[in-house]
Amino acid sequence: MSQKVTLKQLAQILNVTPATISKALRDSNDISIETRKKVKALAAKMGYRPNIMARSLVSKRTFMLGVIVPNLQISFFSECVRGIYERVRRYGYEAIIMVNDENAENERKNLEFLSSLAVDGILIDAVPGNANHGILKDTQKMGIPFVSYDRSLDTLGFNSVTIDDEHAAVIVIEKLVADEKKRILYLGPTSGISVLKNRYAGYQKGLDENGLAFDPDLVIPCEIDQINAYNSIKEFIKKNIPFDAVMCVGGMIAYGAGKAILDAGYDIPNDIAITEFGDNDIVARLGVPFLTVYQYPYKIGSMAVDMMVGLIDNPAKHKKPVHKIIKSKLIYHDIGIKRKL
Amino acid sequence: MSQKVTLKQLAQILNVTPATISKALRDSNDISIETRKKVKALAAKMGYRPNIMARSLVSKRTFMLGVIVPNLQISFFSECVRGIYERVRRYGYEAIIMVNDENAENERKNLEFLSSLAVDGILIDAVPGNANHGILKDTQKMGIPFVSYDRSLDTLGFNSVTIDDEHAAVIVIEKLVADEKKRILYLGPTSGISVLKNRYAGYQKGLDENGLAFDPDLVIPCEIDQINAYNSIKEFIKKNIPFDAVMCVGGMIAYGAGKAILDAGYDIPNDIAITEFGDNDIVARLGVPFLTVYQYPYKIGSMAVDMMVGLIDNPAKHKKPVHKIIKSKLIYHDIGIKRKL
DNA sequence: GGTTTTATCGCAAACGTTTAAGTTTGGTTG
DNA sequence: CAACCAAACTTAAACGTTTGCGATAAAACC
């Protein structure tokens, strides 16, 4: 055993044709039971591993699902991925995980690779913007089905699994108001992907429903990036505009913002409360309590897989896109409270 | 454009053979410049994507590297993976990421899949135990080179990139002793993978060098699992054996142990200090200060890739296994300290 | 006993590429 | 002008599978 074992080699040893081996291994009743036994025994002994590429070339199925995820550092995403690959395996597929790092160029390469690999379907949490809409559309037309998770891609007509962002944002505001907060900052992009738009809409709706006036000065656009969030808040604090809470669109931003607030000497959450979406581990690094929207990422992932498998098995469903929305849950993290006996 | 475009189709349209298209796309100077232009233009227009499987079948190279990682929830691992895939891409490869979830059975399936995929090499952070040593050895013999990262696999003669676990553990003890800690628990497996053995050895050596007696009662075996760690500490506390610090072999364990200690009403770190390896986000969830060994996971990943590419390009290096050791850094996380102006 | 069935296997094409070797055409050389 | 050469393709085999169809022989049927 010093190079890869092939069907042909097994065939030669047993004095039959490769076809016989192939059929024997797949338990075709074209082949006698005894021959099957012999073949399987030899295959096991020689450590035979079928070549997926050769198989897929003819069978037109790879039983691989492409997964594109923004990054693996944010626990929300890694939980999604876990939901995906655990579920995928149950269906007899394998997940090919690719990271776009919130970068359209990377995502394009991911898509090109996955379509070159001829995966049976792609689960995607796409970057903001429409830079890749062309490739996405093309890839879909080539017969590769898509399901978008977390962030929906309505304009492309993909099936999707998302959360109730707008409603969740409203609930967050409600809770902040109940905590006597009155001047709530919104930190993050306000447009682009659906998630952002919905959260921003929820922010406005929440203010309205709770008798607070919308103040454009309290909306701070910033990129989805720690450093950028840090600097944005730092600059804002310099303006001396009073505020008592920051609603952040995600964990990275919440961490950067929280750090800036702490560095400025404020108390979280007494002076300024912070909230985020995703219940991300990284926010805990601040060591202060925070409010978060838990989005059941594992469930998002596994449901996206269910949807995809349905799509593959019954492409007719592709006609009308299906959108699943998962209900989120508000959580208050009491981190940093020292306990004593 | 409604199904996959192949070389053959392009050839038919341009009235040439598939071979011509293939060569044109790879800029062979077998083909005239104008033909090349025409071919490339058409390929772009039709959205042609080469079929990786067909290509790899003949070229015997996939330019894919398999990556096996214990999980993606622990930030140490996800950082390793980031180091890997970013580096891998620079070399023109793609990373196929698989998770074993610390489970030998999963890992076996991962290995079988990767070898079926005929990846050009496998980077592995293997599960404890030798359940898969057989497959690992076989897979290697079939011509797939291995590099182990984080955890080494000495007995199999794989190249490896690891950290200075033993020395790091000694430094941790040193620091704890400087903080007046005298009865230091060791929590986690003491044998199995190299990492565990080395940390345990460092624990003993550290005690010795700092004038503390080794007490087997202070060594608590437990699995690498939050719940298990929680229960282990909970049980230990019931015994009323005094202790003032816990050295945990990893983030999961540190989190479980820390929770148990807090639940029992103790103060961290004043009553009991906790330490871990990996600087994992999850420990921050406790909201208390902790001591950690930062292991430069990104560097571990990228160096493992360098090593692998070297191995692929020059298989002669396979003769004598190379072991790289990365120096770690001690960090004290001051989480949970409330700041005021 | 002739015919039909059944079991067991071989044959050969196909999947989409790559590549060494061959072919044709036209031009250059001595 | 014969001999050679380079340019620009084509041919065909190969990579490791799968699969429908055909072949053979033994068994079963009436």
Side-chain angles (χ1 to χ4, degrees), chain A residues 27 40 184 213:
Chain A
D27 262 323
K40 285 177 187 169
I184 305 167

Side-chain angles (χ1 to χ4, degrees), chain A residues 135-311:
Chain A
I135 308 193
L136 286 167
K137 203 79 192 162
D138 288 353
T139 311
Q140 186 185 225
K141 276 191 186 158
M142 295 208 169
I144 301 185
F146 278 87
V147 166
S148 64
Y149 64 95
D150 180 34
R151 306 170 188 166
S152 71
L153 283 165
D154 297 332
T155 55
L156 294 173
F158 292 171
N159 281 18
S160 68
V161 181
T162 54
I163 62 157
D164 54 343
D165 282 297
E166 184 175 329
H167 182 246
V170 171
I171 301 292
V172 167
I173 298 285
E174 215 164 77
K175 168 75 172 132
L176 287 174
V177 169
D179 287 352
E180 313 273 315
K181 303 294 184 183
K182 296 192 187 323
R183 295 189 53 82
I184 305 167
L185 244 52
Y186 186 87
L187 182 61
T190 56
S191 63
I193 51 177
S194 54
V195 169
L196 302 174
K197 283 187 288 195
N198 294 338
R199 285 174 190 173
Y200 186 54
Y203 168 74
Q204 295 179 300
K205 193 174 171 200
L207 291 178
D208 188 55
E209 288 183 1
N210 288 278
L212 291 180
F214 170 74
D215 180 353
D217 284 348
L218 297 186
V219 176
I220 311 177
C222 89
E223 292 169 33
I224 302 183
D225 173 88
Q226 289 180 31
I227 313 288
N228 201 275
Y230 182 91
N231 291 331
S232 298
I233 288 292
K234 198 175 162 190
E235 289 305 311
F236 185 81
I237 289 175
K238 279 189 190 160
K239 291 186 188 170
N240 267 326
I241 301 177
F243 68 104
D244 49 22
V246 186
M247 182 166 171
C248 310
V249 299
M252 289 281 197
I253 288 183
Y255 181 74
K259 222 165 156 48
I261 290 167
L262 291 175
D263 283 356
Y266 292 101
D267 178 275
I268 296 176
N270 295 323
D271 297 337
I272 298 165
I274 59 173
T275 81
E276 63 122 17
F277 291 79
D279 191 27
N280 294 298
D281 283 349
I282 190 173
V283 186
R285 292 238 154 192
L286 293 169
V288 297
F290 64 98
L291 191 63
T292 189
V293 177
Y294 182 66
Q295 306 169 303
Y296 298 94
Y298 186 91
K299 198 171 172 186
I300 293 182
S302 57
M303 289 194 58
V305 173
D306 289 343
M307 205 174 247
M308 172 58 77
V309 174
L311 221 50

Side-chain angles (χ1 to χ4, degrees), chain B residues 4 20 32 54 72 155 157 162 187 230 260 268-269 287 298 310 320 341:
Chain B
K4 270 157 200 156
T20 305
S32 72
L72 295 172
T155 55
T162 55
L187 183 62
Y230 181 91
I268 296 177
Y298 186 91
K320 272 279 163 216
L341 261 177

Side-chain angles (χ1 to χ4, degrees), chain B residues 17 20 23 30 32 35 57-58 60:
Chain B
T17 65
T20 305
K23 288 178 184 172
D30 242 24
S32 72
T35 308
L57 206 49
V58 22
K60 298 291 194 181

